[in-house]
Amino acid sequence: MLSIKKLNQYYGESHALWDIDLEVPAGQCTVLMGRNGVGKTTLLQCIMGLLPMFSGAMDFAGVDLRKTSAERRANLGIGYVPQDSSLFFGSLKENIELATPVTDDADLIRAAEIAGLSGLVNTHPQGFDMVIGERGESLSGGQRQAVAIARAVVREPSMLLLDEPTGSMDRDLEEHIKSSLDHYALGKTLMVVTHRTPMMDL
């Protein structure tokens, strides 16, 4: 589904990515693991079009991504969950609707469940209507990251890029979201960046 050949990228005069060759097959979960600072996030940002490639080739489902804007890459079906959840201080629903207008609560509930937020939904004393109105600044770091995952999956991308998806979560939420992603990942194309071995069993 995604093919990368001889990708090079620089930060100023610093050579960040050297001749990267990578194949991400359709319908599988590909894990890119390494210590902090080796270029994992940089690679995802190049795939998403948020950083320019210095040289190399990149093809997604037959489309040359070198000539494709970040916005069009999202429209082609590439979903991206950055390490920094980047929520604005609106409601949970408004943050999810940054990706696509959602008119059916069933879509919101499904996205929340995939993102491991079902515990937050089910335990909230005022129920789902209150949760989707919850403002971003009131959520924990882990919950905000889960909202970022919901924002990506609600578009039903054909390939989902996840950068340290459970990095800011407590153990309970991490286990919940891993279980949710296990179920979601069946038959889907995922690329997961991590430096932690527990995430490798998705």
Side-chain angles (χ1 to χ4, degrees):
M1 175 165 277
L2 175 69
S3 178
I4 298 172
K5 303 291 186 185
K6 303 297 182 184
L7 186 153
N8 287 271
Q9 197 272 340
Y10 288 80
Y11 287 109
E13 296 184 359
S14 176
H15 199 163
L17 298 176
W18 294 69
D19 289 336
I20 300 295
D21 289 339
L22 178 66
E23 299 287 334
V24 178
Q28 297 183 29
C29 179
T30 299
V31 176
L32 183 63
M33 186 175 180
R35 61 177 174 78
N36 290 334
V38 298
K40 304 186 302 297
T41 294
T42 297
L43 177 59
L44 289 194
Q45 291 176 341
C46 285
I47 294 171
M48 206 57 224
L50 302 175
L51 285 176
M53 295 169 51
F54 179 79
S55 63
M58 188 182 299
D59 179 280
F60 174 72
V63 177
D64 184 353
L65 292 186
R66 293 173 300 177
K67 304 174 183 179
T68 305
S69 68
E71 179 181 5
R72 182 156 179 257
R73 294 182 200 204
N75 290 333
L76 286 172
I78 304 177
Y80 177 48
V81 181
Q83 186 172 8
D84 174 7
S85 58
S86 302
L87 300 190
F88 75 93
F89 290 159
S91 68
L92 186 156
K93 180 177 181 180
E94 289 168 336
N95 274 280
I96 293 176
E97 285 184 331
L98 280 175
T100 186
V102 177
T103 58
D104 189 342
D105 278 357
D107 291 335
L108 282 171
I109 293 171
R110 177 178 174 276
E113 288 176 343
I114 292 169
L117 285 170
S118 56
L120 179 64
V121 170
N122 293 336
T123 60
H124 198 287
Q126 297 186 53
F128 179 74
D129 288 341
M130 184 62 185
V131 170
I132 63 172
E134 198 83 61
R135 299 187 64 80
E137 64 266 36
S138 71
L139 302 177
S140 70
Q143 289 168 343
R144 290 168 68 182
Q145 185 67 6
V147 173
I149 293 172
R151 186 172 60 193
V153 301
V154 76
R155 288 180 65 107
E156 298 187 355
S158 50
M159 182 176 72
L160 181 61
L161 311 176
L162 297 132
D163 192 356
E164 302 283 2
T166 62
S168 58
M169 295 178 182
D170 62 37
R171 184 176 297 276
D172 288 344
L173 186 53
E174 178 180 12
E175 289 302 318
H176 196 146
I177 200 167
K178 280 176 58 184
S179 176
S180 299
L181 285 173
D182 277 343
H183 181 73
Y184 171 76
L186 294 174
K188 302 279 196 316
T189 306
L190 273 69
M191 183 174 175
V192 180
V193 158
T194 184
H195 67 282
R196 304 174 61 212
T197 54
M199 282 305 299
M200 292 186 64
D201 58 3
L202 274 179

